[in-house]
Each structure stands twice: as C-alpha cells, then as structure tokens.
Amino acid sequence: MMMPLPGNDTEPAVLHFPRRAILPAGEASDYLGIHPRHLRAMRLLRCGPKTITINRETLYTEEDLRSFRQGLLNMVGVTENGGFYRELKPGERTAATEGDPLIRLLSRHIIRRKAMLVGLWSMMALGIGIDLILF
C-alpha cells in the first residue's frame, strides 16, 4: 500500500508491505554477514537471494534472505539452532562487525562456481560461433 510520509505531502510515497520486512542491499548484506560487493556479484550472476526492484532500487525481503542463508548453511550441513549461528535482530550488527566468516566463505564459493560456469559456457558459445564462421 502506498502511504505518504507523515507531515509532508510533497515527498514521494513509501511502500509498506504488511508483515514483510524489506531491506535495501546494504542492510541485506549486513543481515547475511557478507560484503555488499558479494551480494551485488550474486545478484549479477543470478545465484543469490530473490530481489525486488522498486524505482530502480534493489530490495530484499527478510524472508528470502533467511531462506537463502539457511540454504547456504544446509549446503554444508550446519544449522542455526540458537547456537553460534543464530538469526540477528535488525540493527544488531555494528559497522565494526566483519560479518559471518562461514557465510562469507560459502558466498565466495557460489560466486566462483557460477562465474566459472558462465565463463565456460561463453567460451563454448564463442568457439561454436567461430567454428560456424570459418566453415
């Protein structure tokens, strides 16, 4: 639902999704515990969490981020049952926090694997294209 900002009718309206927390890319990377450029790389390679685009701004739902994080942890057989790997409340991280080392490692692995796959497919397509041109 579109709601104008309080006290100012000239400002743009704010989108409000009931019961769904929507996070911009910076907060989403903090939520996952990774660097913002890793999240951007995953978005470009289409191997990251689902995104929502509103007015050319990429946003993430907290539910999608939670399921993506859990999928990464399930990939290596780790669970977050209230132990070290637990969900952080919004705003709990500070700027000094480096992030989650396991999630950073897993996100790098996904980025490398997807980039290698895209590179190999593009080399194969280029080779086939050159082959068709020459023969």
Side-chain angles (χ1 to χ4, degrees):
M1 103 176 49
M2 298 289 284
M3 297 171 40
L5 293 174
N8 197 348
D9 295 334
T10 61
E11 292 288 324
V14 175
L15 285 176
H16 175 69
F17 297 101
R19 296 186 188 145
R20 293 183 75 182
I22 307 295
L23 303 172
E27 291 179 25
S29 65
D30 285 343
Y31 182 87
L32 289 174
I34 61 175
H35 198 275
R37 71 174 170 251
H38 290 159
L39 189 62
R40 189 178 321 118
M42 285 191 287
R43 186 182 75 236
L44 293 174
L45 292 172
R46 296 183 180 167
C47 61
K50 289 190 275 184
T51 61
I52 300 170
T53 304
I54 299 174
N55 291 336
R56 296 183 182 174
E57 184 178 358
T58 304
L59 304 170
Y60 299 87
T61 62
E62 188 175 359
E63 179 182 321
D64 290 337
L65 292 172
R66 187 180 310 118
S67 66
F68 178 74
R69 180 182 171 92
Q70 193 60 44
L72 285 177
L73 293 174
N74 287 341
M75 207 167 70
V76 293
V78 175
T79 59
E80 288 185 300
N81 294 333
F84 178 74
Y85 288 103
R86 61 180 176 81
E87 288 183 21
L88 296 176
K89 297 178 179 90
E92 187 174 331
R93 289 189 184 271
T94 62
T97 306
E98 291 186 19
D100 189 346
L102 179 61
I103 299 296
R104 271 199 327 250
L105 183 68
L106 293 173
S107 67
R108 286 180 191 160
H109 174 72
I110 286 176
I111 292 168
R112 284 186 193 127
R113 188 175 62 188
K114 184 70 175 195
M116 190 180 306
L117 184 65
V118 168
L120 290 175
W121 276 106
S122 60
M123 284 191 283
M124 190 171 78
L126 180 67
I128 290 172
I130 291 172
D131 192 39
L132 290 174
I133 290 171
L134 294 177
F135 298 106

